[in-house]
Amino acid sequence: MKMARINAQEAESIFRGLCRTYKIIAPVAEKGKGAFSGADLLTYGEVGSFGEIEFFKKTHFSAKSVVSPVRETLFEFRKGEVREASQDALPVIIFLRACDINAMAVTDAHFLQGGREDVYYKSHRRCAKFFLMECARPFENCFCVSMGANKTDAYSAFMRKVDGGYEVGVDDEELKKYFPQKGEFEGEPRFAEKDARPLAVPDDIAASIFGHDMWKEYSQRCIACGRCNTSCPTCVCFSIQDVACDKEQGTWRRKRTWSSCQVKNFALLAGNHDFRVSKGDRMRYKVLHKIRDFKKRTGVHMCVGCGRCDDVCPEYISMFRCVEKINEIAARGER
Amino acid sequence: MTENIYAGRPAEILEKRKQTDTEWSFLLRAEIQATPGQFVIVSLPAVGEVPISISGFKPHAVEVTIRNIGKVTSHICKLNPGDALYLRGPYGRGFPLEAFKDRHLLIIVGGSAIAAAKPLVEHVLDSHQGSVVRLDVLAGFRSPRHILFHQELNQWKKKCNVVLTVDNDEDYAWMGSTGFVVSFIKDVRRLGEETRVVLIGAPPMMTNSVRELLRCGVREENIYLSFERHMKCGVGKCGHCRIRDKYVCVDGPVWSYQEAKELID
């Protein structure tokens, strides 16, 4: 693609032009807010300049809250009247790596296909443009190549941080006017070509794995905190609740919030019937969804190999290692 | 403008009928095209939503039967004719009516699951299109005071074979059968390879009944189960009712045993 080299000053001037129309969401390092003393929290946030963007570290959280908010109003009830919540989302630019852009394709398949379109997701998604951030090398715990999520062409622009400035290529006609036409050269984003450790994703998984002892380990280790689900770019399960806004005025909202299959009561039925009570069962439910069930339904793997679940687990449980164990059991012919 | 899959339509309560101390049937004004085995989400603004099987069809109305068991259902059970709630649906895949035509059909229900099977019984008994060669209904309840649809059961007895049993007859002067519904399966006449079975109830009841039916020669592909799971959206998005690669609200709740045995949870 045609690319331009811009210095830091030019970049910030371009930024000021963009942010008149777009909210810009990108990886940021929140100083000192990490899990450990002195560590930064690597997350997604709204930035006030390109200089604030963290280009070289992997975030713990994905950008999924832009298209699938943690909490979102679906309907408002006021004095017996029901009103659909407004679906006007603001235009937004999100800086994403290839795995996360592929994760957006996964959530698109979930929310927009099957003949039932989620209007709320659509309104957020429609307003989002992606700026690709390249991965010259995989990070620790990444296995995007094994999941087929290391490459993408579904982006509006590509930006690379270099000494003294940035190199940028813009595909989107609407965005071209914000960027200079000078100094153009041919360039392409670099994608990860090889995982640090490759993962063999099984084509199908025998039902006999359900009763295997391997899941007992997770029953012992997992504390059901749900961090794996919150940091995963393709976990989008939710619950719906009616909450009071102003009981005197009689205003209520029907809201949806993120829900985690690893946390207690995800499957609890009225009358106290429950499913997947053991954490090992919940781990099996999640892992098989990511590497088998979703693909069976849509043709695409749900897991994009970003490795965030492995990064953030407080008990150091590794989904990567879990899939390796499934493969080892299948290879040994165990039931 | 795209239709909002989470939006309900107002449905006025036309009739309210008490079934037991904790269950009521509500007839709701609604233009819903549904088939036996499908369900609706009953929605009460400022309270919440619940998925409920459709327990009956009438012109321009549907019947739902609700047990007072949680926050939303306790609010619904306090409503009366003239009050309004909201419905969305119908959802789910209902019973395969064509598969039952001109066959021996056995319907086995445990407890309030009879509500989900009632439209199927009525379809078979009341319509020419639904005719079967023979219909047997096996209905089990915890005790006489847990029995739903007394009137309908008595009507059905006039048109087909009905075995009504209770697990425990308590102090009532109960003249009917006693025992778990599973123990009556082997006594169903002409039960075998050609029988189609519809089976709805609590998971342990369904597991034991399937075992017994297979033992009696019924084929796996001819046993149809209706699943129940926690649901929030009813449209295959929230994830709560997913089992492996299937959503109970979209791909179910009805599955043949051949399909259902792969749905391990």
Side-chain angles (χ1 to χ4, degrees):
Chain A
M1 68 192 310
K2 291 250 177 288
M3 295 190 61
R5 199 165 281 116
I6 51 177
N7 65 38
Q9 230 177 337
E10 284 169 312
E12 297 315 329
S13 158
I14 290 167
F15 187 97
R16 280 190 296 275
L18 280 170
C19 74
R20 270 185 224 119
T21 308
Y22 299 94
K23 192 155 86 157
I24 298 169
I25 312 265
V28 292
E30 290 184 6
K31 282 239 145 317
K33 289 192 177 166
F36 305 103
S37 152
D40 298 337
L41 175 63
L42 297 160
T43 185
Y44 267 84
E46 189 176 356
V47 292
S49 69
F50 287 131
E52 283 173 35
I53 299 176
E54 176 51 71
F55 273 88
F56 301 112
K57 292 183 183 157
K58 186 179 23 164
T59 56
H60 295 130
F61 288 105
S62 71
K64 76 177 167 188
S65 56
V66 181
V67 292
S68 176
V70 178
R71 257 171 249 102
E72 179 170 34
T73 300
L74 305 180
F75 299 96
E76 283 159 353
F77 311 124
R78 193 187 155 85
K79 297 190 175 143
E81 225 182 71
V82 179
R83 210 169 47 133
E84 216 171 271
S86 146
Q87 286 148 41
D88 295 323
L90 294 171
V92 64
I93 284 171
I94 322 176
F95 277 73
L96 296 167
R97 298 183 185 280
C99 57
D100 284 337
I101 291 178
N102 282 304
M104 288 287 178
V106 167
T107 53
D108 286 352
H110 178 72
F111 279 115
L112 301 177
Q113 288 172 22
R116 277 169 291 265
E117 233 176 39
D118 185 308
V119 294
Y120 304 97
Y121 177 87
K122 190 177 180 182
S123 75
H124 298 299
R125 185 65 181 83
R126 189 169 54 196
C127 302
K129 288 189 189 288
F130 303 150
F131 272 42
L132 174 70
M133 298 169 77
E134 70 180 358
C135 295
R137 270 182 318 282
F139 292 101
E140 188 185 2
N141 292 335
C142 287
F143 54 101
C144 55
V145 180
S146 304
M147 299 312 303
N150 55 316
K151 293 187 178 173
T152 180
D153 56 12
Y155 49 89
S156 297
F158 158 56
M159 199 151 162
R160 169 193 287 147
K161 188 167 184 173
V162 294
D163 278 337
Y166 305 89
E167 286 171 359
V168 61
V170 182
D171 249 346
D172 188 315
E173 287 306 316
E174 256 179 64
L175 293 176
K176 281 187 171 154
K177 63 179 186 271
Y178 296 96
F179 291 85
Q181 298 301 301
K182 60 120 182 170
E184 299 204 25
F185 62 95
E186 280 297 320
E188 290 300 328
R190 286 170 294 180
F191 295 112
E193 296 290 350
K194 202 170 141 189
D195 291 331
R197 257 173 83 192
L199 182 67
V201 186
D203 281 329
D204 203 347
I205 294 163
S208 54
I209 202 73
F210 278 68
H212 198 278
D213 275 351
M214 72 166 275
W215 304 109
K216 289 189 177 149
E217 177 199 337
Y218 300 104
S219 291
Q220 286 163 356
R221 293 172 64 195
C222 175
I223 58 169
C225 67
R227 259 188 174 191
C228 46
N229 297 134
T230 50
S231 66
C232 173
T234 60
C235 274
V236 284
C237 285
F238 58 87
S239 272
I240 302 178
Q241 279 129 358
D242 290 1
V243 293
C245 294
D246 187 330
K247 282 185 177 157
E248 268 180 39
Q249 294 282 323
T251 48
W252 289 69
R253 288 198 180 129
R254 179 159 289 160
K255 286 185 147 172
R256 68 172 169 196
T257 60
W258 284 2
S259 190
S260 161
C261 59
Q262 302 302 290
V263 172
K264 207 166 86 154
N265 295 345
F266 181 79
L268 181 66
L269 263 178
N272 268 325
H273 300 297
D274 206 356
F275 300 91
R276 302 183 297 274
V277 176
S278 83
K279 290 171 212 137
D281 282 345
R282 297 177 207 166
M283 178 74 179
R284 182 259 308 145
Y285 184 74
K286 176 188 67 183
V287 171
L288 263 51
H289 194 201
K290 298 292 174 184
I291 63 156
R292 182 234 174 231
D293 302 333
F294 190 85
K295 182 161 186 194
K296 187 133 195 274
R297 216 182 159 75
T298 64
V300 169
H301 272 307
M302 201 176 199
C303 175
V304 294
C306 72
R308 286 187 177 98
C309 51
D310 289 8
D311 292 339
V312 303
C313 177
E315 301 302 308
Y316 303 104
I317 290 170
S318 163
M319 197 188 98
F320 183 101
R321 213 20 228 132
C322 181
V323 179
E324 283 189 326
K325 283 179 200 180
I326 292 172
N327 289 336
E328 285 158 17
I329 288 165
R332 290 198 293 266
E334 277 177 37
R335 311 202 116 255
Chain B
M1 197 168 139
T2 320
E3 182 212 331
N4 187 336
I5 55 179
Y6 305 106
R9 293 178 294 282
E12 186 197 339
I13 300 174
L14 300 171
E15 285 170 33
K16 180 180 181 181
R17 188 162 57 122
K18 182 169 177 174
Q19 297 283 356
T20 64
D21 287 338
T22 53
E23 280 136 330
W24 280 264
S25 291
F26 292 85
L27 189 67
L28 305 168
R29 189 197 307 280
E31 298 296 337
I32 280 187
Q33 301 305 315
T35 62
Q38 287 191 299
F39 67 98
V40 287
I41 297 245
V42 178
S43 179
L44 213 49
V47 182
E49 301 188 305
V50 279
I52 305 282
S53 300
I54 297 172
S55 63
F57 296 103
K58 282 210 169 127
H60 312 292
V62 286
E63 182 197 63
V64 292
T65 302
I66 300 196
R67 174 186 292 173
N68 180 350
I69 198 168
K71 183 180 86 160
V72 181
T73 50
S74 68
H75 276 85
I76 296 173
C77 289
K78 290 190 188 117
L79 298 177
N80 291 298
D83 292 333
L85 32 74
Y86 285 74
L87 282 186
R88 46 193 190 84
Y91 297 134
R93 190 175 66 159
F95 299 110
L97 303 174
E98 279 305 303
F100 305 148
K101 244 169 121 171
D102 304 323
R103 301 287 181 185
H104 172 207
L105 176 61
L106 165 61
I107 298 177
I108 310 175
V109 288
S112 54
I114 190 175
K118 177 171 159 287
L120 176 60
V121 177
E122 288 170 347
H123 171 83
V124 162
L125 293 180
D126 299 344
S127 80
H128 292 298
Q129 296 101 324
S131 58
V132 299
V133 152
R134 180 189 163 87
L135 174 65
D136 283 275
V137 176
L138 238 133
F141 295 90
R142 217 180 298 164
S143 78
R145 60 189 171 79
H146 287 88
I147 296 173
L148 295 138
F149 301 113
H150 281 272
Q151 251 180 320
E152 284 83 353
L153 281 161
N154 287 330
Q155 287 301 314
W156 299 346
K157 278 178 185 167
K158 298 175 187 166
K159 298 183 186 178
C160 68
N161 187 39
V162 175
V163 173
L164 176 58
T165 178
V166 296
D167 302 344
N168 182 351
D169 58 11
E170 294 178 342
D171 298 321
Y172 287 70
W174 176 248
M175 302 297 282
S177 310
T178 324
F180 289 131
V181 83
V182 183
S183 53
F184 292 87
I185 290 175
K186 63 184 186 316
D187 300 324
V188 173
R189 283 173 53 206
R190 287 187 248 154
L191 183 69
E193 257 189 15
E194 295 304 313
T195 313
R196 272 47 176 174
V197 180
V198 162
L199 175 57
I200 326 174
M205 173 263 191
M206 291 210 285
T207 311
N208 293 332
S209 300
V210 166
R211 203 174 286 135
E212 181 65 7
L213 287 164
L214 295 174
R215 201 187 63 81
C216 292
V218 180
R219 295 163 72 104
E220 283 186 353
E221 63 267 29
N222 291 338
I223 302 173
Y224 293 89
L225 303 121
S226 181
F227 277 46
E228 229 190 348
R229 281 294 188 276
H230 183 51
M231 288 179 189
K232 281 293 185 190
C233 71
V235 289
K237 305 292 180 194
C238 75
H240 287 268
C241 74
R242 181 181 66 83
I243 311 171
R244 300 194 85 187
D245 59 294
K246 301 276 188 275
Y247 288 88
V248 177
C249 65
V250 168
D251 309 299
V254 175
W255 278 289
S256 75
Y257 177 67
Q258 207 172 39
E259 299 167 298
K261 67 180 183 181
E262 300 298 321
L263 299 177
I264 315 165
D265 211 351

